[in-house]
Amino acid sequence: MEYITGFDRMLSIEEDGGKGHHLKQLTSFGFNVPEGIVIGASFYRKYYPKPPVFTYEDEATMASQCQEMAEKVRMTSLPEAFARELEERLERFPAGGRFAVRSSSTYEDLAGAAFAGQHDTFLNIAPDKIAEKVRECFASLWQKHAVLYRRYQGFEQAGASMAVVIQRMIEAEVAGVAFSVDPVSGNLDYVLIEGNYGVGESVVGGEAVTDSWIVDAVKGEIVERRVSEKEYYVVPVEDGVQTRPLPPEYRATPCLSDDRILEIARVTKKIEGEFQSPQDVEWAYAENKLYILQSRPQTTIPPRFTRDESAERFPEPLTPLTWSYVEDAFNASLEHSLRLMDVHLPTRPWFALRNCYVYGNQNAVKLLAMNKPIQLRTADSLVDELTFIEEKFRWVMELPNTWTRDLDTYLIRVGKLSAASFQGFSATDFQRHFKELFSVAKEYFLPNIAISMTQGFLTRTLLEYIAVVKGDMYEAQTVLKQIITASGTKTGQINRELYELAKRVKQSPELMTLLAEGGKQALAGLERFPAFDEAFRVFIDNYGHREISFDYYKPTWAEAPEVVLDLIYLAATSRKRENIGKKEQVGKMASLKATQELLALSPKPLRYFVNELVRLTLTYTYIDDLEHFQTTRVNLLARKAVGALGNRLMEAGQLADPYDLFFLVKEELESIDSFELSAELQEKIALRKEAYLRACDQEPVWDLTQESEAADSEKDAEKDGALLHGVPGSPGECEGDIYIVRGPEDFAKMPDQSILVARTTNPAWTPLFYKAKGLITESGGPLSHGAVTAREVGIPAVMCIRGALTKFENGERIRLDGKKGVVQKLDVQTKAPMS
């Protein structure tokens, strides 16, 4: 087996490791990447031992196990034949050159785990020292902090393997890192660039003071600059690299010109486009050329909440109980669906409730749209991908069958729950019922987001293919509409039956007159029209779970049949003539004709694929509508159960309205263990109902990111010496007690959920992040190890607060805002708290 390959030969990420795989991709995309080779991970798997079963509960034992494993790897020499082959490959590079020897773990630089700094890299290495450094890279797989990081990320230790990248060393004049999306603000148009003189180690390491810029990539403008008083830089020396003081004349001088800043931003966004996801890019300038040294996915991007995507789906305020149940089920489905689809979404959550209105994470929407699993450049290029497509998307063909099979189980369980009478139910019985209902709904809903996303993906792919074949996007849209008309939906079926009822009304002037009085009045008189009354009751029995509102707080058709009568009357009095049966038949014929024409225009090798693409698009369009229809069965059951418990509490004098329970959240409702509400819950209900009713009369703020910030309170705090400004590192806010860590001797005493304060952090400190509530450092910026790890772990961080170790004391209480880059001391009296 060939263990050493050049950057021109693409292998899997399991063989090349994260770093090696991405460097090969960058090379194939045509970026200016220093040439190199990769020692495949299969070499490590064959010649090096498996790890022990680590004793995580005993830190000292685990540290000893890690050290022993690393030493065992380090002392294992490379086989002679392999060493000769490596030497021969290195001789093909220009004579006298130096190399960067870089670890490339198979778990490294993945979309969900960066492994920033967890493994070793060696710069400016002479050819005769490379074999030794390769063994050091292998050994770094078992450093204690790397082992703990894998455990935290959920990776199996036994599955870990290591590839090694050996790359021509670039003696950079200036180097650094760029994020294609600003990781602090979450603005998808902004590129964050950080740099320093010399090679990039001073930036990547996160310990040096560096320059940074934010570029609006759409406008091509620099929108923010931070030129710092840089103290030192890293330069190549005989045995590697060395940190040296920066000459005074360069310390306050920006390390990049505006032209170079804009060039880095353009190239970074181009890399993002090729990878179809936000990227963390290492770059360097040498001899006036921009080199790309690495690119990996950004693992975390803050949400940007707006009403753009949620205003149509959630037009009205929602009650707390509905949202707490829906959000729980939705988040579980999102994670399940993304895993099923093998899609990484670096931003969470998808939705948020503010002032009773639902806001959508617009970054999530845009980032998912950026992902195109199938590249449709030409029909011929698609032929080459057919085998890959069939293997990767096998689950797309299987999901409709498994979902339909599991639907029967869901409906049986729902039928059982709907039979509950609630008479004689104890408070414990109600809790058991709520939990079972939620369990049934949550389990059923798990794959449903995947169905919706896949329906959108298939529709876009079909549209793009038609456009490739037709050569005209406008014509492609017309053809797509013709094809989709054959899908048929449950909603269409309900509308047909609604119009059938409307036709009956048209045939009876007396019935028309009755319905003209309004649904509520008409209900009492329907008995005079027994044939229509029976048909109407059957319709309500079949579709009574249809919601008037998304909120379970509002009644469904079964509880408000007058709404359906009003809809029937509207259909009966409409001037528009509807012949739904004929319209559906014509639609199916048009769909069949459009599909046949599309197949005739397709190359023969693609015709089966195109036929399957059309079939699956129609299938998913149908089941996407059907899954929503079946999901809403829960609405009626939830409202009935909550109303039944509410009635018992109202009879006991605990509630004014049985449905006031909707102003509790899931955990609070499920804590009710008797037919008596605590004063605390009664107060929460009153306050939340008041807020809900107020929200019903207000227009919601459209974009939460544009809400005004409490600048005045910050100014007051600053005057009192309570506010300290640093550099935003990881978004979020927290309040807690300070714990200062000067070195490893302070690790063991760190209290859980304290705010870590340090001069800087490095990969060996990673375990501290799992205990910390927030992070403050004296140096570094948003691309430093501390900031990157804080964002991955999900804690706020403020970097570069000079003298932090002397400005704070252990146990001191502070409030930290990682998005603004400010820290407020809470023991200093201020006029108003920081927002």
Side-chain angles (χ1 to χ4, degrees):
M1 180 175 180
E2 187 179 3
Y3 294 118
I4 304 176
T5 55
F7 283 3
D8 58 344
R9 185 177 172 192
M10 188 69 66
L11 299 175
S12 68
I13 198 167
E14 289 78 14
E15 178 62 14
D16 288 331
K19 193 177 273 90
H21 187 68
H22 294 141
L23 282 167
K24 289 184 176 184
Q25 286 181 295
L26 287 165
T27 302
S28 70
F29 293 145
F31 293 101
N32 189 24
V33 178
E35 61 271 25
I37 58 176
V38 178
I39 299 173
S42 57
F43 175 81
Y44 179 90
R45 292 189 190 100
K46 181 172 182 179
Y47 289 102
Y48 291 86
K50 291 283 185 183
V53 176
F54 290 104
T55 308
Y56 300 111
E57 299 76 18
D58 187 329
E59 190 171 343
T61 301
M62 195 201 78
S64 177
Q65 288 174 316
C66 291
Q67 187 175 356
E68 183 179 334
M69 183 64 190
E71 190 61 23
K72 187 184 297 184
V73 170
R74 191 178 290 112
M75 298 307 293
T76 303
S77 298
L78 303 179
E80 287 187 16
F82 177 82
R84 282 197 303 271
E85 182 187 355
L86 178 58
E87 187 176 347
E88 288 171 6
R89 293 299 294 258
L90 294 174
E91 287 173 354
R92 299 178 193 178
F93 288 84
R98 294 294 185 106
F99 297 89
V101 183
R102 313 170 74 187
S103 300
S104 182
S105 164
T106 51
Y107 291 155
E108 188 174 340
D109 291 353
L110 302 179
F115 277 82
Q118 298 299 323
H119 306 118
D120 287 346
T121 287
F122 303 95
L123 302 179
N124 204 43
I125 303 303
D128 62 338
K129 299 289 186 183
I130 284 179
E132 173 193 335
K133 299 306 180 187
V134 167
R135 294 200 307 272
E136 291 290 345
C137 286
F138 287 157
S140 72
L141 192 62
W142 305 110
Q143 294 178 122
K144 177 185 168 185
H145 53 79
V147 171
L148 288 173
Y149 187 93
R150 282 194 292 273
R151 184 182 186 229
Y152 178 79
Q153 292 288 348
F155 294 120
E156 291 184 5
Q157 305 293 350
S161 187
M162 180 68 78
V164 178
V165 172
I166 302 169
Q167 189 175 19
R168 182 169 65 87
M169 181 71 188
I170 298 298
E171 293 192 16
E173 303 146 10
V174 58
V177 183
F179 276 177
S180 68
V181 173
D182 180 4
V184 180
S185 73
N187 190 323
L188 299 187
D189 295 336
Y190 283 6
V191 177
L192 173 62
I193 300 170
E194 191 164 349
N196 193 10
Y197 293 104
V199 299
E201 200 67 8
S202 65
V203 181
V204 177
E207 297 185 17
V209 176
T210 58
D211 295 334
S212 66
W213 300 265
I214 293 177
V215 179
D216 186 325
V218 174
K219 296 179 180 177
E221 297 176 355
I222 301 170
V223 296
E224 188 175 317
R225 304 170 187 266
R226 181 172 64 87
V227 179
S228 302
E229 185 75 24
K230 299 172 288 297
E231 299 170 349
Y232 58 85
Y233 66 144
V234 178
V235 295
V237 294
E238 182 61 29
D239 296 322
V241 293
Q242 187 178 81
T243 299
R244 291 180 177 173
L246 194 62
E249 63 269 25
Y250 291 103
R251 292 188 177 183
T253 305
C255 64
L256 289 171
S257 66
D258 284 5
D259 286 345
R260 286 186 169 185
I261 293 165
L262 295 175
E263 181 184 20
I264 293 168
R266 284 194 301 270
V267 172
T268 300
K269 276 297 182 185
K270 190 175 178 182
I271 292 171
E272 176 188 77
E274 291 289 356
F275 282 104
Q276 299 179 31
S277 67
Q279 295 290 301
D280 169 359
V281 178
E282 293 181 26
W283 54 266
Y285 273 100
E287 299 177 347
N288 291 319
K289 290 182 182 178
L290 175 62
Y291 289 88
I292 301 302
L293 307 180
Q294 176 58 10
S295 184
R296 55 177 167 252
Q298 282 186 237
T299 54
T300 51
I301 293 173
R304 290 176 66 85
F305 289 115
T306 76
R307 292 277 291 160
D308 291 358
E309 295 296 322
S310 58
E312 184 176 352
R313 190 183 305 185
F314 310 107
E316 304 169 331
L318 290 187
T319 52
L321 187 64
T322 294
W323 180 245
S324 61
Y325 275 101
V326 167
E327 185 179 34
D328 193 338
F330 187 96
N331 287 338
S333 176
L334 179 64
E335 300 305 326
H336 174 88
S337 298
L338 291 175
R339 285 193 299 272
L340 178 65
M341 300 170 71
D342 193 25
V343 171
H344 174 67
L345 186 64
T347 182
R348 298 288 193 283
W350 190 279
F351 290 114
L353 194 70
R354 298 288 186 276
N355 192 29
C356 301
Y357 280 96
V358 178
Y359 288 81
N361 181 353
Q362 198 62 17
N363 277 352
V365 174
K366 290 181 178 179
L367 291 174
L368 280 175
M370 188 186 295
N371 182 273
K372 293 184 178 180
I374 297 177
Q375 292 297 315
L376 282 170
R377 295 183 174 90
T378 65
D380 290 338
S381 68
L382 188 58
V383 172
D384 297 334
E385 291 189 57
L386 285 180
T387 304
F388 161 79
I389 290 170
E390 182 180 359
E391 185 62 33
K392 183 175 181 182
F393 298 106
R394 191 178 302 277
W395 65 268
V396 176
M397 294 178 277
E398 295 171 352
L399 181 57
N401 294 329
T402 56
W403 182 83
T404 305
R405 178 201 66 199
D406 295 341
L407 175 62
D408 292 339
T409 303
Y410 164 74
L411 293 176
I412 291 169
R413 295 173 73 184
V414 163
K416 177 186 172 185
L417 288 164
S418 65
S421 68
F422 303 116
Q423 286 186 345
F425 260 41
S426 67
T428 302
D429 293 331
F430 275 108
Q431 297 308 332
R432 189 180 301 112
H433 184 84
F434 289 140
K435 289 174 182 175
E436 185 178 357
L437 176 58
F438 180 64
S439 174
V440 168
K442 187 175 180 179
E443 183 178 334
Y444 157 75
F445 194 66
L446 273 178
N448 289 11
I449 291 178
I451 290 172
S452 296
M453 287 182 177
T454 306
Q455 191 277 334
F457 156 63
L458 288 167
T459 304
R460 289 195 303 273
T461 303
L462 180 56
L463 175 63
E464 289 176 8
Y465 177 76
I466 298 170
V468 166
V469 172
K470 290 281 189 179
D472 183 276
M473 180 57 76
Y474 179 78
E475 188 178 356
Q477 291 172 341
T478 302
V479 173
L480 178 66
K481 288 178 183 177
Q482 291 171 338
I483 291 174
I484 292 291
T485 54
S487 62
T489 60
K490 198 70 176 179
T491 299
Q493 178 184 332
I494 295 170
N495 288 338
R496 285 196 301 276
E497 294 187 30
L498 199 68
Y499 271 98
E500 288 300 317
L501 290 171
K503 283 169 66 176
R504 293 190 181 212
V505 172
K506 283 183 178 182
Q507 294 165 3
S508 171
E510 294 86 357
L511 184 54
M512 181 77 86
T513 301
L514 176 65
L515 264 61
E517 297 176 4
K520 282 189 177 181
Q521 290 78 3
L523 275 174
L526 284 185
E527 58 188 24
R528 303 201 318 265
F529 306 91
F532 176 84
D533 188 25
E534 182 181 355
F536 177 69
R537 300 298 172 189
V538 169
F539 182 87
I540 293 297
D541 285 344
N542 289 336
Y543 308 121
H545 60 280
R546 292 286 281 195
E547 78 276 26
I548 297 170
S549 165
F550 180 86
D551 200 339
Y552 303 161
Y553 182 56
K554 302 289 181 67
T556 64
W557 281 2
E559 294 178 286
E562 65 273 12
V563 173
V564 183
L565 286 176
D566 288 336
L567 289 174
I568 293 170
Y569 179 73
L570 286 173
T573 55
S574 171
R575 293 182 180 180
K576 185 177 180 182
R577 294 181 178 273
E578 286 286 345
N579 190 334
I580 292 179
K582 184 177 180 181
K583 185 178 179 182
E584 196 172 89
Q585 186 177 1
V586 170
K588 287 183 178 180
M589 292 300 295
S591 174
L592 181 61
K593 182 181 178 182
T595 302
Q596 289 173 339
E597 289 177 354
L598 182 62
L599 290 171
L601 290 171
S602 300
K604 283 187 178 180
L606 283 180
R607 287 177 185 173
Y608 176 77
F609 166 78
V610 174
N611 193 62
E612 279 296 282
L613 179 59
V614 170
R615 182 186 70 82
L616 287 167
T617 302
L618 295 177
T619 299
Y620 273 86
T621 300
Y622 174 76
I623 65 172
D624 185 37
D625 179 78
L626 180 60
E627 66 87 359
H628 174 77
F629 172 80
Q630 303 294 9
T631 298
T632 56
R633 292 187 184 278
V634 175
N635 293 42
L636 181 60
L637 300 186
R639 182 172 160 81
K640 280 185 175 180
V642 172
L645 175 59
N647 275 316
R648 296 288 292 275
L649 289 166
M650 192 172 70
E651 290 167 4
Q654 302 293 300
L655 284 177
D657 183 320
Y659 297 107
D660 279 353
L661 287 177
F662 276 95
F663 297 102
L664 298 177
V665 297
K666 177 176 177 285
E667 292 74 18
E668 292 165 348
L669 178 74
E670 294 177 356
S671 72
I672 298 173
D673 56 6
S674 70
F675 296 118
E676 184 175 346
L677 288 179
S678 67
E680 181 185 5
L681 289 184
Q682 289 182 344
E683 184 180 6
K684 285 180 177 179
I685 288 171
L687 290 173
R688 290 172 186 165
K689 186 172 184 177
E690 182 183 352
Y692 170 82
L693 294 173
R694 191 165 55 246
C696 290
D697 294 329
Q698 294 175 343
E699 280 295 315
V701 174
W702 194 263
D703 188 341
L704 291 184
T705 62
Q706 296 175 357
E707 283 187 301
S708 60
E709 298 175 346
D712 291 340
S713 65
E714 290 188 10
K715 288 177 182 176
D716 290 335
E718 193 166 14
K719 287 177 185 176
D720 292 325
L723 200 67
L724 302 172
H725 288 269
V727 174
S730 176
E733 298 180 40
C734 71
E735 182 178 312
D737 298 335
I738 290 290
Y739 183 72
I740 297 171
V741 176
R742 292 179 170 82
E745 64 276 8
D746 298 318
F747 286 8
K749 296 179 182 177
M750 180 174 170
D752 193 38
Q753 293 298 290
S754 56
I755 295 177
L756 169 62
V757 177
R759 295 192 189 281
T760 185
T761 66
N762 62 50
W765 292 35
T766 303
L768 297 180
F769 286 77
Y770 309 143
K771 295 184 70 176
K773 194 175 188 180
L775 171 69
I776 299 169
T777 62
E778 289 192 337
S779 63
L783 306 187
S784 65
H785 166 269
V788 171
T789 306
R791 289 193 295 271
E792 279 200 358
V793 176
I795 61 173
V798 176
M799 328 306 290
C800 213
I801 290 189
R802 295 302 181 88
L805 268 62
T806 58
K807 290 179 178 176
F808 298 108
E809 296 179 1
N810 278 337
E812 184 177 2
R813 196 157 187 83
I814 61 103
R815 186 176 296 141
L816 180 155
D817 188 325
K819 186 174 182 179
K820 297 178 185 176
V822 293
V823 176
Q824 180 181 331
K825 293 189 172 190
L826 297 182
D827 60 346
V828 178
Q829 294 299 315
T830 61
K831 297 177 183 177
M834 185 178 71
S835 64

